[in-house]
Amino acid sequence: MHGRYRSAPSYRRLVADLRRPAARAEALDVLRRRLALPAAAHGWLDEISDNHDWAVLATCAPPGKIDADAEIALLRSALGWLEAQQQEEDRSTDSREAGGDGKGGKDFRPPDGDDPQKGAHAP
């Protein structure tokens, strides 16, 4: 290891260091290398970092959790993010194929009772 870590830090330590601006860049670098995420999942960690949503990581590596279990939880979280991204991409593709409005086609008109501009009970 290098820098502030003389030996491999626990996931708990890395998550704690991510909350500290002075340690964040190095902790994020070590976490990326240590987790060995597939390339498709790098966006998961990027999104967490960009949004400073450290709670996502903290729930995976709470105090007292052994590193092997924390690593599994982190990888599951990344997998969940990947699945959500794929579902979003699939919905977007379906929407474009259906006409681009995401509501069932180009000529979609809501039933009279569902038109928000006419009110819920329009004649």
Side-chain angles (χ1 to χ4, degrees):
M1 298 263 73
H2 58 80
R4 78 179 64 249
Y5 306 113
R6 297 186 195 286
S7 61
S10 68
Y11 284 112
R12 180 72 191 143
R13 167 89 190 270
L14 290 171
V15 170
D17 284 352
L18 287 169
R19 295 176 189 264
R20 299 175 43 230
R24 184 171 297 142
E26 189 173 355
L28 195 55
D29 180 56
V30 170
L31 183 60
R32 281 184 199 286
R33 286 186 280 118
R34 185 158 175 208
L35 268 178
L37 292 170
H42 287 182
W44 168 74
L45 204 47
D46 292 339
E47 187 174 293
I48 290 170
S49 177
D50 292 346
N51 296 326
H52 299 277
D53 193 6
W54 312 123
V56 170
L57 301 177
T59 60
C60 295
K65 188 174 239 183
I66 62 171
D67 270 3
D69 291 341
E71 186 166 5
I72 290 169
L74 289 162
L75 292 171
R76 282 184 178 158
S77 182
L79 178 60
W81 180 86
L82 277 172
E83 289 171 346
Q85 295 299 316
Q86 185 61 49
Q87 289 173 356
E88 187 176 306
E89 187 177 304
D90 290 348
R91 281 193 301 271
S92 176
T93 300
D94 290 348
S95 175
R96 283 193 303 272
E97 290 172 358
D101 63 6
K103 296 180 181 176
K106 290 185 265 191
D107 298 324
F108 174 80
R109 302 260 190 259
D112 287 337
D114 292 341
D115 189 342
Q117 293 179 352
K118 292 184 179 179
H121 302 289

